[in-house]
Amino acid sequence: MYTCWVGSDFKKEGRSAGEWLDKYLQRKERTDEEIRIVTLQGTLGSSAQIGRTEGFQEVLSKHPNWNMLEQQSGEFTQAKGQEVMEAFLKKYDDIDVVISENDNMTFGAIEAIEAAGRSCGPKGDIVILSFDAVREALQAMQEGRIHADFECNPLLGSMVSEIIENLEAGKAVKKTKYVKEQYFDSSMNLGKILSTRAY
């Protein structure tokens, strides 16, 4: 029983990551080669994990040359993300893309990749796509270790306040209200973005 749910459209976030990867591979003229992907999923059954996995899968299903080698939960933590990425690197010789369903796991994945003598980011071997877009992740992107990060905007207060005011005024509100979100990639002016970043 609720009047209005406010939050993130996790499935849209996943689709956005897939669409970004599609455009990136087109620019790199890699549309005809096999693209080998692994996914560090969040805690299985969580709304963020389900939405991001399903959203990316929608785009992946349109590309027969995208090969999802394996998906495994990193439980949204840096330590588990590093552990799972270490296992992926031992199991698969040629990983092209890592989808990491939150920044904490991404930090662990980067540690595993670099410890294995591999590299990631725009000048590296492995494409890294992450979610949440916290300040530390955008700094890692600025350092050239992450390709793109898909925002999970926690700044919901003003939206909730507006909904309450509308209800108090007797106005109807929609049952679901998604917060505005965007993505960031290494082509952007990250210094300027970080100077105004609230989280």
Side-chain angles (χ1 to χ4, degrees):
M1 298 284 293
Y2 65 95
T3 300
C4 178
W5 180 92
V6 182
S8 295
D9 187 340
F10 296 119
K11 197 167 186 178
K12 183 179 179 181
E13 292 174 7
R15 281 197 304 269
S16 295
E19 290 162 359
W20 186 94
L21 181 61
D22 181 24
K23 291 175 184 176
Y24 173 81
L25 293 172
Q26 289 182 44
R27 289 197 307 273
K28 296 296 182 179
E29 299 182 351
R30 298 181 64 186
T31 53
D32 294 328
E33 66 181 83
E34 180 188 16
I35 304 299
R36 296 159 60 86
I37 305 170
V38 294
T39 298
L40 296 169
Q41 295 175 295
T43 302
L44 297 180
S46 66
S47 55
Q49 179 273 309
I50 292 169
R52 290 167 182 170
T53 299
E54 289 181 353
F56 186 82
Q57 182 62 40
E58 283 185 8
V59 181
L60 181 143
S61 66
K62 299 175 184 177
H63 297 276
N65 61 312
W66 291 15
N67 179 9
M68 181 62 72
L69 299 172
E70 191 170 341
Q71 300 179 94
Q72 190 171 328
S73 175
E75 299 173 2
F76 285 137
T77 71
Q78 181 168 342
K80 188 67 174 178
Q82 182 173 352
E83 178 186 321
V84 173
M85 192 67 223
E86 287 170 351
F88 283 160
L89 289 164
K90 289 175 183 175
K91 189 172 182 180
Y92 304 106
D93 292 332
D94 187 14
I95 296 171
D96 297 302
V97 179
V98 174
I99 308 298
S100 176
E101 290 183 349
N102 89 330
D103 289 334
N104 286 339
M105 294 188 298
T106 301
F107 299 145
I110 290 170
E111 287 188 20
I113 289 166
E114 293 178 348
R118 304 287 301 279
S119 59
C120 52
K123 295 182 179 180
D125 308 319
I126 299 173
V127 175
I128 298 273
L129 303 186
S130 190
F131 292 86
D132 288 349
V134 300
R135 174 177 293 275
E136 291 81 0
L138 296 188
Q139 289 170 338
M141 186 183 298
Q142 195 174 33
E143 294 165 1
R145 301 162 91 190
I146 297 174
H147 278 74
D149 208 323
F150 301 83
E151 186 176 45
C152 184
N153 186 351
L155 304 179
L156 308 178
S158 61
M159 291 178 62
V160 173
S161 178
E162 182 182 351
I163 290 164
I164 291 170
E165 289 172 2
N166 286 334
L167 290 169
E168 289 176 341
K171 297 178 182 178
V173 298
K174 292 182 179 180
K175 194 75 170 174
T176 300
K177 184 76 172 177
Y178 290 123
V179 65
K180 184 178 180 181
E181 294 177 329
Q182 59 186 318
Y183 74 84
F184 304 91
D185 67 26
S186 55
S187 70
M188 297 176 176
N189 185 340
L190 295 168
K192 183 177 181 180
I193 292 166
L194 282 164
S195 70
T196 59
R197 196 77 175 143
Y199 59 93

